[in-house]
Amino acid sequence: MSGVTETIDVHVPVRTAYNQWTQFESFPQFMSGVESISQVGDRRTHWVTKVGGVRREFDAEITEQHPDERIAWKSVGGDTKHAGVVTFHRLGEQDTRVTVQLDWQPEGIVEKAGAAAGVDDLQVKTDTKRFKEFIEERGGESGQWRGDVQRPSL
């Protein structure tokens, strides 16, 4: 299992950063490895990605979501296994710290070599910087979903 954690401070209120992150279909505008995302329900999305020449399709299920605090997910079905969480921390009226944590299972020699060389870390770092540019240039979110999804009990 491979993992990466990346943190970035954005100059927008926590509500704005969180609201934008709930707009999954906008991710291709700032995530270079994401070709498309379709929202297929309040808790499910369908992803098409292409990273390092490897194209993947999978569904992701939101496992926990609390407005202005966190969104956690895991892949279900498809040809990739991963899970992640993004958290939002209020630094001030107009500043938010966004932390993205991803864990995934690289498949095949190309993905395993890429993970070992830190390609995945660089991808996440670049995408968080692009999110910062995207949301700060907009000055506001393109939409919002304020629903609350409780973590499943064990």
Side-chain angles (χ1 to χ4, degrees), residues 5-9 87 89 96-100 124-125 128:
T5 300
E6 186 61 38
T7 298
I8 196 154
D9 295 345
T87 57
H89 307 275
T96 303
R97 178 161 293 151
V98 179
T99 300
V100 178
V124 173
K125 181 182 286 279
T128 54

Side-chain angles (χ1 to χ4, degrees), residues 40-113:
V40 293
D42 286 347
R43 295 183 60 179
R44 192 165 290 224
T45 53
H46 180 76
W47 294 59
V48 179
T49 63
K50 189 172 184 181
V51 178
V54 178
R55 189 170 192 269
R56 301 272 187 214
E57 274 193 62
F58 59 92
D59 287 346
E61 178 182 7
I62 306 244
T63 57
E64 185 179 9
Q65 183 168 344
H66 307 294
D68 303 335
E69 294 178 17
R70 69 188 287 118
I71 303 170
W73 66 91
K74 67 177 180 177
S75 62
V76 289
D79 54 4
T80 189
K81 292 184 182 354
H82 82 274
V85 63
V86 58
T87 57
F88 305 86
H89 307 275
R90 182 181 182 275
L91 300 177
E93 290 296 320
Q94 294 295 319
D95 294 290
T96 303
R97 178 161 293 151
V98 179
T99 300
V100 178
Q101 181 182 353
L102 296 171
D103 294 303
W104 68 95
Q105 184 65 50
E107 300 291 332
I109 190 128
V110 172
E111 288 183 15
K112 289 177 181 176

Side-chain angles (χ1 to χ4, degrees), residues 2 4 7 11 14 21 24 27 29 48 51 66 69 72 76 78 93 96-97 107 109 113 126 135 146 153:
S2 293
V4 62
T7 298
H11 186 62
V14 69
W21 206 275
F24 302 109
F27 282 17
Q29 295 177 57
V48 179
V51 178
H66 307 294
E69 294 178 17
V76 289
E93 290 296 320
T96 303
R97 178 161 293 151
E107 300 291 332
I109 190 128
T126 300
I135 194 63
R146 304 289 298 171
S153 56

